[in-house]
Amino acid sequence: QVQLVESGGGLVQAGGSLRLSCVASGRTFSSNFMGWFRQAPGKEREFVASVNWIGGLTYYTDSVKGRFTISRDNAKNTVYLQMNSLKPEDTAVYYCAAQRSWPGSAYAGYDYWGQGTQVTVSS
């Protein structure tokens, strides 16, 4: 079993920044793609960003391109999401996710999920 624990959420004013972290642990953890998703109140969970094992490939939803950066440190089993120029519409619970299959998929097919961390952006 794989456990994912997110941290770094909080309340920030529009235009501010936050850095989310997700630490993975468990049996022989090795996931090619790791991703971040978010769910706003009353909305479905949506893909935000993902990164492959060596970090050379990154994918973003259009609304965060140029503002968010995903990265990972495999030695620490950690994936990060640096969020800059935050907007009120970025307010959501952010979830870290990982996959069992290899090479997996950038946008879907995630099997493991963290408990989520709240990000609130005030206007």
Side-chain angles (χ1 to χ4, degrees), residues 47-50 58-62 64-65 68-70 81 107:
F47 170 84
V48 176
S50 64
T58 57
Y59 303 84
Y60 300 93
T61 190
D62 286 346
V64 308
K65 286 180 180 177
F68 290 11
T69 302
I70 189 171
L81 185 68
Y107 298 99

Side-chain angles (χ1 to χ4, degrees), residues 90-109:
D90 294 318
T91 295
V93 177
Y94 283 71
Y95 298 91
C96 175
Q99 299 178 347
R100 281 196 298 263
S101 61
W102 191 285
S105 171
Y107 298 99

Side-chain angles (χ1 to χ4, degrees), residues 3-122:
Q3 292 82 41
L4 303 174
V5 179
E6 304 99 334
S7 62
L11 173 64
V12 64
Q13 289 187 333
S17 298
L18 284 174
R19 188 195 194 203
L20 305 184
S21 299
C22 171
V23 179
S25 62
R27 180 178 59 88
T28 317
F29 175 76
S30 62
S31 177
N32 186 26
F33 282 102
M34 291 194 70
W36 287 95
F37 290 73
R38 65 187 179 186
Q39 187 167 20
K43 295 186 177 181
E44 294 187 354
R45 187 163 54 190
E46 64 170 350
F47 170 84
V48 176
S50 64
V51 60
N52 72 331
W53 177 259
I54 61 173
L57 295 176
T58 57
Y59 303 84
Y60 300 93
T61 190
D62 286 346
S63 62
V64 308
K65 286 180 180 177
R67 301 188 298 121
F68 290 11
T69 302
I70 189 171
S71 61
R72 67 192 290 173
D73 183 339
N74 293 326
K76 296 181 179 180
N77 281 345
T78 302
V79 63
Y80 304 98
L81 185 68
Q82 177 66 43
M83 305 186 295
N84 298 329
S85 302
L86 282 161
K87 304 175 180 180
E89 50 264 44
D90 294 318
T91 295
V93 177
Y94 283 71
Y95 298 91
C96 175
Q99 299 178 347
R100 281 196 298 263
S101 61
W102 191 285
S105 171
Y107 298 99
Y110 288 83
D111 306 291
Y112 306 107
W113 297 86
Q115 82 288 349
T117 185
Q118 177 70 48
V119 171
T120 303
V121 184
S122 63

